[in-house]
Amino acid sequence: MKDLDEREERKDALKGLGCSRKRVEDARFTQGKGNYIDDVNLPGMLHGDFVRSPYAHARVVSIDTSAAMALDGVVAVLTAKDLEPLGLHWMPTLAGDKQMVLADGKVLFQGQEVAFVVAKDRYIAADAVELVEVEYEDLPVLVNPFEALKSDVVLREDIKDEKEGAHGARKHHNHIFTWEEGDKEATEQAIGAAEVVAEEMVYYHRTHPCPLEPCGSVASMDKVNGKLTLWGTFQAPHVVRTVASLLSGIEEHNIRVISPDIGGGFGNKVGVYPGYVCSIVASIVTGVPVKWIEDRMDNLMATAFARDYWMKGRISATKEGKITGLDVHVTADHGAFDACADPTKFPAGFFHIVTGSYDIPVAHVAVDGVYTNKAPGGVAYRCSFRVTEAAYCIERMIEVLAIELGMDAAELRRINFIKKDQFPYQSALGWEYDSGDYHTAWDKALKAVDYEGLRKEQAQMLEDFKAGKSRKLLGIGLTHFTEIVGAGPVKNCDILGMGMFDSCEIRIHPTGSAIARLGTISQGQGHATTFAQILASEIGLPADSITIEEGDTDTAPYGLGTYGSRSTPVAGAATAMAGRKIRAKAQMIAAYLLEVHDDDVEWDVDRFAVKGAPERFKTMKDIAYAAYNQAIPGVEPGLEAVSYYDPPNMTYPFGAYICVMEIDVDTGEHKIRQFYALDDCGTRINPMVIDGQVHGGVTEALAIAMGQEIAYDEMGNCKTGTLMDFFLPTAVEVPNYQTDHTVTPSPHHPIGAKGVGESPNVGGVPAFSNAVHDAFRPFGLRQSHMPHDHWRIWKIAQTLGLHD
Ligand code: PCD
């Protein structure tokens, strides 16, 4: 017993896996000591700002920069003409398309970059932007993807005759690609022969990640030594270095990319934006550092978007509710350029996780990408490449099927869940789900909220409503989601040809402390805290003695970066593997010091001890010192390791979310009475960090489902370009969250961990939306498009004839 206690004490002292260790980065962040991109200030630095198009579609007749150039303090005004000789007036996108860096003859969306003004300070730059005179000739505008596919208006004149795009055949001049997965014929057969079929158009509206810190970069070209240093809001700094080298011709060793602290990424900082390119060119041209920081309107209107998926679903089942087939056709509005941030081979991301948590024998999906006069992007706003769209689609289709069957939606889910003993599970659309135990999670969730009790209360409230005693309805929003996170493996996933592995390099110092560097980059997730915990458990040094560093390509090993919840599944695995290499060498050193054979020592929390004689041991701290001060035959000095990890599969976290919402039929206002979120992300590294991730992610889900939207009028004017119109929830709107968990480890991850950062958004959005729909189910509501703001909820009630 004493031994056990003593071992537990040693374990606790490490603050390793499972410890709710306080976030070490917060001391800095909460004291205003963060170092964000706008904190990077270099001697002689100039500032850039964009002239942006007021039109959504127009020809650029002329650009007159003379008045701007005449303003005191203006150094340069760049247009496409200046970039053309360098071949930089267009740039490749992550999706295999190309995008104008600065308007080349025409503009294709409101807010598009037309000219780049470089001046002594940001204020002069902004003044000079007003002085650039651009003559436009407006062209017909297409904001609806269905109309764009029929229209004679050619948006992308540069490729109008190209019949093939990066992802195969193009059917129309405004069509980008068709992408398909699954067995079409078998699915049609199943649906054709089914006893019950539910069909619905599910729209997931256009929105935006809107991180508190917008995007920006500082480029510094040192003409003496030929080195370019680029600081920026990059979720994938190494990839930026490679792309910058390929584009500019500067050799990669002469480029250093640094992501400083990042004030929220949420997918917004994965893509490459014209501002980055222009700051580099401007620094090369002027020979001094150039900073570009966008403002809120720039960010909302031009720098990426998310979703905008029109999903036509058909789901079939037996009378008893066993699902027999699923077909989904998506019309995907990609805006002016296809700049979707997805692994190269997946133009619709991982949308084919759309069969969700259910054992569906046959399925088929097809996605058509379409150009419109809207901002480009298509970023994975808190989701792994279109997983949130997929989860929303299937979780809405399940609800609609339940209506069709006259069944309880919780029961319908239970009947169709993939069973525990079916894992690893091969989905009809080609994925291999690594592990899961959906029934256990579901039962736990239903019990936690007293599901039966809630249904009774709901029925009572409905009766009172019908009897004229109350004007409130209750909605119970159910969701069971399955995520897919942790891209690679390299054989399936790459970005611009770079395989999606990740990495960790560890150096143990002589006194038993360490530094570990990773190919990922935290944007607020707390990597400095949690990666040290993985190492603490692997190598037996306290997490408090381990520094984690990310984001500097001159020092960190190559990695593909942080998005798609891939840091834990991929870089986290690399960290554990690098730790194991350290331990393997430490074992040899310990055996030497203890004068026994390597096989005669065993690992015990923070030390190697002689088997059968635990009082004879060497701690990792002793071993670290010995690695540097002893000449050990056959063993090199030092204690370092690096691991590049190519994951064998992705990880499949899952969860059960339930939202209980009261709706005021007369005002359309809603009140979230309870929000229960059960997450299963396998082995939990830091439960407190996970809770924080869930709180943040559900809050973003609340925003998206209940009000947040990037909306355009028919002229292509962006109506939501400021935070007056774009809903960003504050403490006022945010309910109390109840978090819970089950633990089903990933069988292939070295520590059994799956990602979690995105799950709350993936599960949250359908939970909120289903609650709204559920409240009106008794009155015949099947599908109503998000966001469910008060006006739209009021409108539902109005349409259903619930207002007198
Ligand atoms: N964890 C733990 N455990 C487990 C898992 C996890 O603990 N099992 C934790 C970690 O460590 C970290 C976190 O948690 O810290 C997270 O994780 P993950 O899931 O792995 O993820 P990552 O990769 O790291 O990250 C990413 C994510 C994303 S994707 C997003 S959107 C978002 C999230 O993350 N973002 C953000 N979250 C967050 N938070 C914050 N604060 N900020 C931010 O920005 Mo994308 O695709 O990009 O869209």
Side-chain angles (χ1 to χ4, degrees):
M1 198 58 209
K2 191 168 155 278
D3 278 2
L4 273 182
D5 287 350
E6 186 263 350
R7 178 172 290 139
E8 282 309 311
E9 265 170 38
R10 282 193 280 127
K11 226 186 226 165
D12 289 348
L14 297 178
K15 300 191 190 162
L17 290 184
C19 169
S20 282
R21 181 183 184 222
K22 280 197 182 154
R23 292 175 26 127
V24 293
E25 42 273 269
D26 287 354
R28 228 153 39 78
F29 293 156
T30 55
Q31 293 177 55
K33 300 275 167 56
N35 179 42
Y36 297 95
I37 184 64
D38 207 20
D39 296 320
V40 177
N41 286 310
L42 304 175
M45 189 173 76
L46 300 174
H47 299 259
D49 193 8
F50 279 111
V51 175
R52 292 180 183 275
S53 169
Y55 291 93
H57 195 198
R59 208 149 310 278
V60 177
V61 180
S62 65
I63 304 176
D64 183 354
T65 61
S66 53
M69 278 304 287
L71 186 69
D72 202 23
V74 173
V75 178
V77 183
L78 301 177
T79 65
K81 278 208 181 68
D82 303 304
L83 301 185
E84 196 171 350
L86 305 165
L88 289 175
H89 55 320
W90 288 72
M91 62 181 186
T93 69
L94 294 177
D97 194 1
K98 54 186 176 150
Q99 173 176 352
M100 290 179 210
V101 174
L102 292 171
D104 184 21
K106 74 189 286 197
V107 287
L108 285 154
F109 67 94
Q110 188 184 53
Q112 186 178 333
E113 301 80 0
V114 175
F116 190 66
V117 175
V118 185
K120 290 226 162 83
D121 69 41
R122 185 69 169 78
Y123 302 98
I124 299 174
D127 288 345
V129 161
E130 301 298 324
L131 295 174
V132 175
E133 274 171 42
V134 187
E135 194 188 331
Y136 297 97
E137 195 180 280
D138 61 335
L139 294 166
V141 172
L142 298 171
V143 286
N144 177 312
F146 298 98
E147 278 164 26
L149 278 183
K150 286 184 269 168
S151 172
D152 292 339
V153 177
V154 180
L155 298 182
R156 292 289 301 277
E157 289 161 20
D158 58 303
I159 50 167
K160 72 173 189 305
D161 297 323
E162 284 177 27
K163 301 273 174 268
E164 287 278 318
H167 306 287
R170 298 173 65 216
K171 295 182 213 161
H172 180 266
H173 51 252
N174 296 328
H175 179 247
I176 311 172
F177 63 84
T178 302
W179 180 83
E180 265 183 287
E181 191 64 68
D183 190 335
K184 187 172 179 175
E185 224 174 281
T187 306
E188 285 308 328
Q189 249 174 25
I191 293 174
E195 291 168 337
V196 182
V197 180
E199 193 171 329
E200 204 55 66
M201 173 64 93
V202 179
Y203 179 48
Y204 197 142
H205 58 295
R206 182 173 273 238
T207 179
H208 193 287
C210 194
L212 287 189
E213 177 206 36
C215 298
S217 58
V218 176
S220 176
M221 184 74 208
D222 183 331
K223 290 204 167 161
V224 177
N225 62 18
K227 283 197 188 279
L228 169 71
T229 308
L230 181 65
W231 289 262
T233 45
F234 308 132
Q235 290 184 235
H238 282 95
V239 182
V240 170
R241 186 185 71 190
T242 303
V243 173
S245 171
L246 292 172
L247 280 183
S248 67
I250 301 171
E251 278 195 86
E252 203 165 349
H253 72 283
N254 279 333
I255 303 178
R256 178 180 184 188
V257 175
I258 301 173
S259 294
D261 286 328
I262 294 183
F266 309 113
N268 194 191
K269 293 165 180 172
V270 173
V272 174
Y273 302 115
Y276 302 158
V277 179
C278 286
S279 65
I280 296 174
V281 174
S283 178
I284 294 174
V285 170
T286 60
V288 289
V290 176
K291 177 188 270 188
W292 165 70
I293 307 283
E294 63 181 4
D295 65 20
R296 181 60 59 198
M297 287 180 72
D298 297 337
N299 180 256
L300 282 171
M301 289 174 61
T303 315
F305 76 93
R307 328 298 193 231
D308 218 344
Y309 256 34
W310 293 89
M311 305 175 285
K312 181 76 192 274
R314 285 183 299 145
I315 190 164
S316 60
T318 64
K319 285 201 296 282
E320 294 73 36
K322 180 78 195 81
I323 300 172
T324 57
L326 174 73
D327 180 82
V328 182
H329 179 267
V330 181
T331 303
D333 185 341
H334 284 218
F337 307 97
D338 188 10
C340 263
D342 291 314
T344 308
K345 293 189 198 87
F346 300 93
F350 301 151
F351 184 77
H352 42 318
I353 193 77
V354 68
T355 52
S357 310
Y358 311 103
D359 184 16
I360 302 182
V362 286
H364 170 250
V365 349
V367 180
D368 278 301
V370 185
Y371 291 122
T372 59
N373 291 118
K374 297 184 190 170
V379 298
Y381 172 7
R382 211 157 191 153
C383 85
S384 189
F385 315 115
R386 306 290 186 181
V387 171
T388 189
E389 288 91 329
Y392 185 63
C393 181
I394 185 67
E395 288 305 299
R396 283 299 311 136
M397 289 311 295
I398 290 281
E399 294 283 316
V400 176
L401 180 62
I403 294 172
E404 204 71 51
L405 288 159
M407 244 177 111
D408 173 71
E411 186 54 23
L412 177 60
R413 284 179 173 85
R414 191 199 311 275
I415 295 175
N416 288 287
F417 281 145
I418 300 161
K419 295 187 193 71
K420 192 178 168 188
D421 59 13
Q422 285 177 280
F423 291 94
Y425 173 82
Q426 206 69 41
S427 85
L429 293 174
W431 298 114
E432 187 182 298
Y433 293 25
D434 60 347
S435 64
D437 183 355
Y438 302 163
H439 286 95
T440 301
W442 196 235
D443 291 343
K444 191 172 181 187
L446 296 183
K447 193 158 168 234
V449 299
D450 181 19
Y451 182 65
E452 275 175 32
L454 279 176
R455 284 290 180 209
K456 280 192 196 125
E457 192 187 343
Q458 182 185 41
Q460 184 58 52
M461 280 177 72
L462 182 62
E463 233 171 76
D464 291 349
F465 178 84
K466 285 183 173 159
K469 287 194 219 152
S470 140
R471 296 296 291 163
K472 292 216 165 75
L473 294 172
L474 192 69
I476 304 166
L478 302 173
T479 288
H480 191 287
F481 64 93
T482 297
E483 262 243 271
I484 169 170
V485 305
V490 169
K491 69 175 190 304
N492 300 333
C493 293
D494 70 272
I495 286 198
L496 293 177
M498 305 308 299
M500 296 182 78
F501 57 86
D502 228 289
S503 60
C504 173
E505 182 208 83
I506 308 170
R507 289 185 196 172
I508 313 283
H509 309 314
T511 50
S513 67
I515 183 164
R517 296 188 169 101
L518 288 84
T520 44
I521 173 76
S522 191
Q523 307 127 38
Q525 293 88 342
H527 290 178
T529 307
T530 54
F531 284 117
Q533 293 182 251
I534 298 179
L535 273 180
S537 290
E538 289 294 337
I539 63 177
L541 292 175
D544 291 341
S545 305
I546 303 170
T547 297
I548 299 290
E549 204 182 86
E550 300 173 303
D552 182 340
T553 58
D554 262 13
T555 54
Y558 205 105
L560 271 284
T562 293
Y563 41 85
S565 263
R566 65 186 298 281
S567 305
T568 303
V570 194
T575 305
M577 297 311 270
R580 286 172 197 183
K581 288 185 187 176
I582 295 277
R583 220 160 80 184
K585 182 167 177 184
Q587 180 163 4
M588 293 193 274
I589 298 173
Y592 172 81
L593 297 174
L594 291 163
E595 297 181 54
V596 293
H597 189 271
D598 290 2
D599 294 340
D600 293 332
V601 293
E602 63 188 352
W603 180 249
D604 175 22
V605 182
D606 57 354
R607 62 192 54 179
F608 278 105
V610 176
K611 281 182 190 162
E615 69 290 352
R616 292 189 58 214
F617 63 85
K618 290 288 169 190
T619 64
M620 193 51 127
K621 208 169 149 111
D622 302 332
I623 296 166
Y625 198 67
Y628 291 89
N629 87 336
Q630 299 256 343
I632 305 171
V635 179
E636 285 181 7
L639 196 51
E640 301 187 1
V642 56
S643 167
Y644 287 85
Y645 189 81
D646 179 7
N649 188 5
M650 280 182 262
T651 65
Y652 296 73
F654 59 93
Y657 284 16
I658 299 173
C659 171
V660 185
M661 189 188 284
E662 258 174 41
I663 286 179
D664 185 319
V665 173
D666 294 323
T667 63
E669 285 171 304
H670 66 264
K671 184 173 156 236
I672 291 142
R673 252 181 36 184
Q674 187 179 11
F675 195 100
Y676 171 88
L678 179 151
D679 275 281
D680 191 320
C681 54
T683 304
R684 291 151 54 88
I685 302 163
N686 183 323
M688 188 172 63
V689 166
I690 294 173
D691 261 359
Q693 287 292 311
V694 175
H695 288 184
V698 181
T699 301
E700 283 183 311
L702 168 85
I704 294 169
M706 307 310 288
Q708 191 172 85
E709 179 185 23
I710 293 288
Y712 291 87
D713 68 14
E714 69 284 1
M715 302 290 289
N717 295 308
C718 179
K719 299 194 287 181
T720 50
T722 77
L723 293 185
M724 294 294 286
D725 308 297
F726 186 83
F727 172 46
L728 207 63
T730 65
V732 175
E733 293 90 0
V734 173
N736 196 30
Y737 303 125
Q738 189 184 342
T739 57
D740 204 346
H741 64 275
T742 53
V743 176
T744 312
S746 166
H748 62 77
H749 188 282
I751 62 165
K754 303 180 178 185
V756 78
E758 300 171 333
S759 302
N761 191 295
V762 172
V765 171
F768 287 113
S769 182
N770 284 347
V772 174
H773 285 91
D774 185 66
F776 292 105
R777 176 173 165 172
F779 303 97
L781 179 70
R782 275 170 70 103
Q783 174 63 20
S784 174
H785 299 325
M786 293 190 290
H788 307 296
D789 50 27
H790 299 160
W791 155 247
R792 285 181 174 96
I793 294 180
W794 183 89
K795 197 79 192 146
I796 294 173
Q798 171 84 347
T799 311
L800 295 174
L802 301 182
H803 298 152
D804 0 87

